[in-house]
Amino acid sequence: MPSQVVDALPQVILEAGLHGVPTIGSSRGGIPEAVGDGGIILHPDDADGWVQAIETADRADLGAKARAGAAPLLRPCLPEPAAAGLIPAAAAAD
């Protein structure tokens, strides 16, 4: 996520983490906090650093850390959408 703008808390980082996919993200806004130990933070203009990180990242270790870091940042689904039939009832119970 080589964002050049100040993102508050990009959901794509949390979604990736829940699937065990680490993030290589820029040092802008809330990206470092969202990535935590589950990825690599770089300056968005460090092209060589991005290439190296993509080629050498320990995906298994960082992916496990990404999953562990993402889970506490999410909240369960609200029961109202399940009651209205918009999402499966099991999703609201998680």
Side-chain angles (χ1 to χ4, degrees):
M1 181 157 191
S3 185
Q4 295 284 335
V5 299
V6 179
D7 290 305
L9 181 64
Q11 292 296 306
V12 69
I13 294 171
L14 302 180
E15 292 169 5
L18 290 175
H19 291 279
V21 177
T23 297
I24 301 172
S26 73
S27 56
R28 306 273 188 194
I31 294 172
E33 288 82 9
V35 171
D37 293 335
I40 300 168
I41 300 299
L42 298 166
H43 190 279
D45 296 330
D46 181 8
D48 291 335
W50 284 87
V51 170
Q52 182 178 359
I54 291 167
E55 292 177 347
T56 64
D58 181 346
R59 289 174 176 81
D61 180 53
L62 291 174
K65 290 177 181 177
R67 180 173 292 147
L73 297 176
L74 301 174
R75 62 177 175 78
C77 292
L78 298 174
E80 292 83 1
L86 299 174
I87 61 173
D94 290 339

